[in-house]
Amino acid sequence: MAVTGSAEGEGDSPALWAEVRALLPRAEEGLTLALSGEVEDCVLPLLRRARALVYGAAGRPDAAAAAALERLSDVLRDYSWEKLNTGPWREVGKGWRQVYAYGCLFGALAEVAAGRPLARAVRLCDLGLLMGAAVLDNVLARLVRALQPRLPPARHGLPAAAPRAPEGQRPLPSARPRGPPPALQPHEAIPHLRCPSLEHFRDNYLLPQRPVVLEGVMDHWPCMKKWSVDYFCQVAGCRTVPVELGARYTDEEWSQQLMTVSDFVSQYIMDESNVGYLAQHQLFDQIPELKEDISIPDYCCLGEGEEDDITINAWFGPGGTISPLHQDPQQNFLAQVFGRKYIRLYSPQDSENLYPHESQILHNTSQVDVEDPDFVKFPNFTKAAFQSCILMPGQILFIPVKYWHYVRSLELSFSVSFWWS
């Protein structure tokens, strides 16, 4: 992707407003503001006023209209944000997510109308894509694709010193040092198979639920030749993504933060004293350029769902990051693009010996530190048999549904996982 523009005034262009305006319905009544679910009565008048400001001028809204649109956007986002954070995410009504998306849309349009630099407009689009629900034929994704080429090139690189946490905040977490992975014993090794037929994979691995490392399946994916840290900064450096801070999500200091890909690279990839991990369930929908570089494995067609039901996840981070021993409710293909990972698998039949957390939130996660177990506290862990491998670039590991898996990045790595039923 060519990234051009200047740091100042890249949004100050009547031509850009015309391009952005063309992404919306031609007439005001075409922007229907239809919401899926119950939303409080006070919200719709705010949405209609914002819509009227966008459509009220023959050309670009003047400064007063842009300022009023920005204020309405702030109100819509703040009000819906409270609704998004009042309980479990699965209980959040789609209508409130749509209101948040509209708030982000109107905020981004206000930035363009005001002629400001476009970084904040792009960030608002990303927030709407991450936390909102699709509106107007996924207009936020189309808008960000129009804005991104006009941004200045992303700057990244090794900082002169590790960034300091702001006063009053905890310092950035660092990984506990780990040595080389345990030696792989032949009887514990996960079998390898090169490009099996659909029938062979189904009969010998899918139906009996046996793990296997697949070779040669992803050799033709464009990501195998294209992807690098520089490539990510070029394609997505300005994009806002959620980053997990800490070596593992069960650590007390673990947290999440939204930041641009360039900031993530500078703070957590180029600076090895900090540990952060980009674990993203929406990255490929948010940044379609990356999705074009991968393919859904053909073996997913053996599942019961449709292709749209397959969840594609991105895992990008430095060496030392760990996914504690846990299980997932779907079949999993874990594809390694670059870097190596040490992986250990346990059968669901050994669940009682793996000491899952008793809390509802972590019930699918073991309390045991796989590489440094406390046998006094968890004596039955010695009874659990396991298989292991070092997943290399170009290999795909099939992890059957509910299989327990522990993953440690041995170096800077990028993986793509496909969850399917």
Side-chain angles (χ1 to χ4, degrees), residues 170 173-176 178 243-256 275-279 281 315 320-329 354-357 359-368 370 403-408 419:
R170 290 181 296 189
S174 59
R176 285 181 286 175
R178 294 268 182 173
V243 172
E244 299 183 359
L245 306 184
R248 65 182 88 199
Y249 63 78
T250 51
D251 288 350
E252 184 178 347
E253 67 271 18
W254 181 88
S255 63
Q256 291 179 303
V275 175
Y277 209 70
L278 195 164
H281 304 305
W315 313 93
T321 50
I322 289 171
S323 290
L325 188 63
H326 68 285
Q327 58 180 185
D328 296 317
L354 303 181
Y355 299 91
H357 283 271
S359 69
Q360 183 61 30
I361 294 177
L362 291 175
H363 71 280
N364 69 328
T365 301
S366 170
Q367 301 177 61
V368 183
V370 164
Y403 245 76
W404 294 85
H405 46 291
Y406 165 89
V407 183
R408 171 159 67 102
W419 291 348

Side-chain angles (χ1 to χ4, degrees), residues 20-21 23-35 44 47-55 69 98 101-103 105-106 109 135-137 139 142:
V20 165
R21 180 64 180 75
L23 300 175
L24 304 175
R26 296 184 64 180
E28 181 175 344
E29 53 272 19
L31 205 159
T32 58
L33 300 173
L35 302 176
L44 271 176
L47 289 170
R48 293 189 185 110
R49 284 166 56 191
R51 178 180 63 183
L53 288 167
V54 173
Y55 285 86
L69 184 61
Q98 290 172 318
Y102 277 120
L105 171 64
F106 291 133
L109 293 175
V135 294
L136 301 177
D137 191 25
V139 68
R142 293 184 287 121

Side-chain angles (χ1 to χ4, degrees), residues 70 74 77 107-108 111 116-125:
E70 182 179 16
D74 291 342
R77 293 198 322 278
E111 294 293 311
R116 301 190 187 115
L118 297 174
R120 187 167 187 270
V122 169
R123 177 177 171 82
L124 285 168
C125 289

Side-chain angles (χ1 to χ4, degrees), residues 73-121:
S73 163
D74 291 342
V75 171
L76 288 166
R77 293 198 322 278
D78 289 346
Y79 196 69
S80 56
W81 181 257
E82 289 187 16
K83 301 296 183 180
L84 299 184
N85 289 276
T86 54
W89 179 252
R90 63 180 177 275
E91 296 178 9
V92 174
K94 185 179 179 181
W96 284 114
R97 293 173 56 206
Q98 290 172 318
V99 172
Y100 186 77
Y102 277 120
C104 292
L105 171 64
F106 291 133
L109 293 175
E111 294 293 311
V112 176
R116 301 190 187 115
L118 297 174
R120 187 167 187 270

